[in-house]
Amino acid sequence: MNAATLSAPIRFEGVGLHTGADARMELRPADPGTGIVFVLDGVRVPALADFAQESPLATVLARDGKSVTTIEHALSALLAMGVSDVEIALDGPEAPILDGSARPYVEAIATTGLRESPHARPVLEVTAPIELRDGDRAVIVMPSDAFRVRFVGDYPAPIGTHYIDIAIDPERYRTEIASARTFTFLRDVEAMRARGLARGGSLENALVYDEDGPMQPLQWPNEVVRHKVLDLIGDLALVGAYPRCEVIAIKSGHALHTRVARELRKRG
Ligand SMILES: [Zn+2]
């Protein structure tokens, strides 16, 4: 597995899910060893758990007074599609939500193509199981010769309980995970707006459940837990290496995932 970057820059523009702010984002080719680095107004913020802030709704990175939120979908696509080195210039406080999934990133990466380096991609090998818990949420990371995720999501009705077990490689990620959308309950949207969140959210960029069920057609019966895998992969990108391990996640979210990434960096 070699390090790789994009063969040309990729640009996105759009509204942020939580801030509602418009932002332009450019993913630029970078030298081997760069890792994934955000460039915010001249401040370089590596996409590593060391710079992550606790946040239940999105992944936030911060350094020297600059911060960026909702970066997990971009990070997820980059990690899964094999992009180890890239600079991401962003001129707003939040990455564009686009269609709420990682599909626009994956399609752009696939169309643009990768430039492989002769150097090896950094890989995280786990030698003994690691378990982190937060109440009834848990993440267990186990040794494995491939990256595999099993996720149990459990939500109030009408979402219910969903499960997925998937070995992650670029093709499976592209066809089975990337298109799964951000999801929310309609009843939570007003509460989030009152707290200044979800300002950019709409039926165009999020799967919304009302009391009876999904308000839009589902792409898979378990689309919700597929999106949880998408988010988990984005948070694991904060390890700074390809996670060659098996991850069992039960009801976990960004806060616990960030703790896992931090723990893995300590041990890696
Ligand atoms: Zn997400």
Side-chain angles (χ1 to χ4, degrees), residues 57 70 72-73 97 100 180-183 227-228 230-231 254:
L57 288 179
T70 322
E72 56 271 18
H73 301 167
I97 189 64
R181 290 162 291 176
T182 304
F183 60 93
H227 188 80
K228 293 299 292 185
L230 189 165
D231 281 343
H254 294 300

Side-chain angles (χ1 to χ4, degrees), residues 157-160 162 181 183-186 203 206-224:
I159 296 184
H162 297 281
R181 290 162 291 176
F183 60 93
T184 188
F185 287 103
L186 184 61
L203 292 174
L207 172 59
V208 181
Y209 280 79
D210 66 14
E211 299 307 319
D212 300 322
M215 297 173 69
Q216 305 116 297
L218 292 173
Q219 300 174 84
W220 300 274
N222 66 349
E223 180 166 357
V224 158

Side-chain angles (χ1 to χ4, degrees), residues 106-182:
V106 164
E107 296 308 325
I109 292 166
T111 303
T112 305
L114 302 189
R115 193 170 74 218
E116 250 195 43
S117 138
H119 303 277
R121 182 178 188 181
V123 171
L124 170 89
E125 305 267 10
V126 176
T127 51
I130 298 165
E131 182 185 316
L132 277 90
R133 284 176 187 272
D134 175 16
D136 62 351
R137 305 163 198 270
V139 176
I140 300 156
V141 183
M142 299 194 298
S144 172
D145 55 8
F147 181 24
R148 175 174 173 175
V149 178
R150 306 183 204 217
F151 209 118
V152 180
D154 181 31
Y155 299 89
I159 296 184
T161 304
H162 297 281
Y163 174 68
I164 190 168
D165 174 3
I166 185 166
I168 304 294
D169 61 40
E171 195 46 39
R172 276 212 193 92
Y173 180 83
R174 189 176 174 179
T175 55
E176 302 289 328
I177 299 296
S179 298
R181 290 162 291 176
T182 304

